[in-house]
Structure formats: C-alpha cells, structure tokens
Amino acid sequence: MRKNKEETENGYKQEQEQHKEAKEKIMELTSRLDTSKSSESELSTKLQAVTEELNKFQTKSQDLAEQLATLEQARASLDDSLRQSQTALGQKQQDLEQSKSDKDILEQTLKKEILDYRNHMLVSAVEEAESIIREALAQAENPHITTITCTAEYLMDRATPVLETISQLKHNIETYTQDPQAISEVVTSVSEFSHRLADVIVFGFATSHAAPIEEGDALSGECRTCGEGSLELLTDIKQASYDKVPSKADNIDQLVKRILSHAEALLPKVEDVKAEQMGDMVDQEMQQTTEAIAQAAEKIASMLAHNREKYTGIQLQVNEGILDSCNALMRAILKLVEKSKNLQREIVSQGRV
C-alpha cells in the first residue's frame, strides 16, 4: 500500500509537474499568440502604409513616365530643330563663303578699275599737257607771231611762278608714289605746269623778237630747250618712271632760271635812254604837275568866291583863312616844282642819270 501510495504520490507529482509545464507552455503559446496578433496588426498597419506609399510611388512613377515621355518628345523636337539649324547653318556658311569670295573678286575688280581710272586720268592730263607744250613750241615757226613782241619785265613776271609750280609737281609726284589717292593733286600740278610753262615759251619767243639778234637767239633757244625737256619730263610721268622725275624737274628748273637771267639782261637800263629824251620826259612831267597845281589854285579861288557869297561873319573868316592857307601851299608847291625842274635839267645835262 505504502508502495502504491508512494507511486501514486510520485505519479501525482509528475502529473502536477507535467500539468505545470503544460500550463506554462499554454501561457507561453498564449503570449506568443498575443504577440503574433499584435505583430500581425502592426504588420497590417505597416502593410497598409506601404501600400499607400506604393500607390503614391506608382502615381509619381506614372507622372514621371508622362514627363519623361514629354521630355523625350521635346528632345526629339529639339534634335530635329538642331538638325535643321545645322543644315541651315551649313548653308549659311556656304553662302557666307561664297559672298566673301564674291566680295574679294569684286574688291579686286574695283581696285583694278580704280587703278585703271587713275592711270587714265593721269595719262589724259599728261597728254593734254604735252599738246599744250608742243603748241607753244610750234609758235617759234609760226610766221604770224614774228611781229609780236613782249617786254622782258612781263616775261619775268610770267616765268617766276613756274619755279614754284615745278617744285609743287615734284612734291605731288613723290606723294602719289606713296599714296595713289593723291592723283587729283598730280593732275592739277601737271595742268598748271604745262599752262604756265607754255606761257613762258610763247612770251619768251615774243621777247626775243624785240631783243638784239644774238640775245634773242639765245633766249629763243633756251625756251625751245626748256619745252623739249618738259616733254621728256611729261613722258616719264606718263610711263610711270617716277624715279626719273626729280632730276628732270631740276633740269627744267635750271632752264627756267636761265630764261629769267636772259630776260633780266634784256631789261631796259636808265643809261640806255638818251639825255634829250630824259629831258623831254622831265619837262612833260613838270608841265603836267604845274598844270595840276594851277587847276587846284583856280578851284580854290572859285571856292573862295562862293564862300563870300554864301557866308558872312566868323564863318566867312574861317573859310577864307583855310582857303588862303591852301593858296599859300599851292604857291609854295609851285615854287618847289620850278626849282625841281631846274635841278632835274642840270642833272640830265650832266649825264648823271
């Protein structure tokens, strides 16, 4: 019995322990179940939140996809515009290169035309100048001007400005070689040079007609040499041999100076006038002066008579005083003229003039 009791007690204890263990397991499982339920609720909440986020993401993804499609479309349009722009740019570049080429050709053509025009202007001016000089030289053989004469003084008056013209021509030619745009100054200088030198040649021939034979031949020879040298100078200019111009111009300058020297030698001297002629000239001048003084005296007397009729008192006295002074001055001048006349006659008679 005792043994059975012990076995029963032991069995009961074992059952108690098993029951306790089972209870603990049940409690553990219950706790786990509660925890699982709580986790499931949290997971459900999280799942719902994730689902909402996913929906938002999908919405954004759709928006981004639409935006991407729009951007792709815009990029395609830009690519197409870029290709068109590149094509147009290429065409523009070709047109620009063609325009530049045409411009260069046009510039070269215009430069050549301008150069040809300048050369034509200069050649025409030189040919006209040559014609003027040749015409002047031809007057030496013209029988119609052999009786025409000119004074040496007038020849000098016409020849002196030529020296400045020659200097200006040299300067303008030098400037033209450095700056072709100075063509107008060269044309002007050539024209002025030819006209002035032609005058010198013609008046030189005319002056030689009134000069002694030897001096006249020398003067006409210098004029002819000067004209021929001028033609050589103009030929060098026409042929663009500008390096020869200075020496040729200097030669013309010397020839003109020699013409001036000949003209100066032909100027009339005082001693060339005869004493009788000088005396007659003095008498004529003195007589004219005397007559002028007499006329002035008569006019003063007339004014005095008029004043006596028109004025009285102090005004008459003042006017008469002025007129009397004028009469006294006229008488003094007349005496001075008479003395000068006598003195001049003595000088002429002694041959001191």
Side-chain angles (χ1 to χ4, degrees), residues 16-280:
Q16 286 287 331
E17 290 177 356
Q18 290 178 353
H19 178 72
K20 184 179 180 179
E21 290 177 358
K23 187 177 180 180
E24 290 177 354
K25 288 183 179 180
I26 290 171
M27 291 177 67
E28 182 180 355
L29 290 172
T30 301
S31 176
R32 287 182 178 179
L33 181 60
D34 292 338
T35 302
S36 176
K37 288 181 179 180
S38 176
S39 298
E40 183 179 356
S41 177
E42 291 177 359
L43 289 174
S44 177
T45 302
K46 290 181 179 180
L47 180 60
Q48 184 177 359
V50 169
T51 301
E52 291 177 356
E53 290 293 331
L54 180 61
N55 291 334
K56 291 179 180 179
F57 177 76
Q58 289 177 345
T59 301
K60 289 182 178 180
S61 178
Q62 290 177 356
D63 293 340
L64 290 174
E66 291 176 358
Q67 293 178 4
L68 181 61
T70 302
L71 291 174
E72 286 292 337
Q73 185 178 1
R75 186 179 68 82
S77 177
L78 288 174
D79 289 341
D80 184 58
S81 298
L82 180 60
R83 284 192 296 271
Q84 293 178 0
S85 298
Q86 289 176 341
T87 302
L89 179 61
Q91 184 63 41
K92 291 291 184 182
Q93 288 178 340
Q94 292 179 359
D95 294 342
L96 181 61
E97 291 176 357
Q98 183 63 39
S99 298
K100 184 179 179 181
S101 177
D102 294 342
K103 175 177 172 291
D104 292 339
I105 295 173
L106 180 60
E107 284 182 352
Q108 294 298 325
T109 302
L110 290 176
K111 286 180 179 178
K112 185 178 183 303
E113 290 180 356
I114 291 173
L115 181 60
D116 292 342
Y117 177 71
R118 287 172 177 165
N119 290 335
H120 177 71
M121 283 181 59
L122 184 56
V123 169
S124 297
V126 170
E127 289 177 348
E128 178 66 20
E130 289 175 333
S131 176
I132 292 171
I133 298 296
R134 289 194 182 96
E135 180 66 21
L137 289 172
Q139 301 310 308
E141 308 300 331
N142 187 349
H144 298 291
I145 71 164
T146 54
T147 58
I148 297 176
T149 60
C150 175
T151 64
E153 184 179 6
Y154 187 70
L155 174 60
M156 293 180 66
D157 183 65
R158 302 301 297 175
T160 301
V162 177
L163 300 176
E164 176 62 26
T165 303
I166 295 171
S167 176
Q168 191 64 39
L169 177 61
K170 285 174 55 180
H171 172 73
N172 288 337
I173 288 292
E174 182 180 359
T175 303
Y176 175 67
T177 58
Q178 300 173 0
D179 181 15
Q181 294 184 359
I183 182 66
S184 60
E185 288 81 358
V186 176
V187 171
T188 301
S189 295
V190 168
S191 178
E192 184 178 3
F193 167 75
S194 62
H195 282 88
R196 288 190 178 276
L197 191 65
D199 281 351
V200 172
I201 294 171
V202 172
F203 289 121
F205 289 151
T207 303
S208 69
H209 297 159
I213 296 177
E214 185 176 352
E215 288 83 351
D217 289 343
L219 176 59
S220 61
E222 293 290 0
C223 292
R224 190 176 290 103
T225 302
C226 185
E228 292 171 352
S230 299
L231 291 176
E232 293 179 3
L233 171 62
L234 293 172
T235 299
D236 289 336
I237 295 175
K238 183 167 63 174
Q239 295 177 351
S241 300
Y242 302 124
D243 56 324
K244 299 179 181 179
V245 169
S247 60
K248 295 288 181 65
D250 290 340
N251 182 49
I252 302 302
D253 184 89
Q254 293 301 317
L255 289 171
V256 173
K257 288 179 179 178
R258 285 159 64 176
I259 291 173
L260 284 169
S261 297
H262 284 290
E264 186 176 4
L266 293 173
L267 288 174
K269 306 297 188 297
V270 176
E271 55 268 20
D272 294 336
V273 181
K274 295 181 180 180
E276 294 81 1
Q277 294 176 341
M278 182 63 73
D280 293 340

Side-chain angles (χ1 to χ4, degrees), residues 304-351:
L304 181 59
H306 178 71
N307 276 313
R308 287 173 179 171
E309 295 176 358
K310 187 175 181 180
Y311 300 104
T312 59
I314 296 175
Q315 183 66 39
L316 178 60
Q317 292 178 3
V318 172
N319 290 341
E320 285 183 346
I322 294 173
L323 294 175
D324 288 340
S325 298
C326 291
N327 277 325
L329 179 61
M330 289 296 102
R331 287 192 294 271
I333 293 174
L334 186 58
K335 290 180 181 180
L336 181 61
V337 169
E338 290 295 334
K339 291 181 179 180
S340 298
K341 184 189 297 185
N342 295 331
L343 179 60
Q344 191 68 36
R345 285 172 179 168
E346 291 179 6
I347 294 173
V348 171
S349 64
Q350 293 175 7

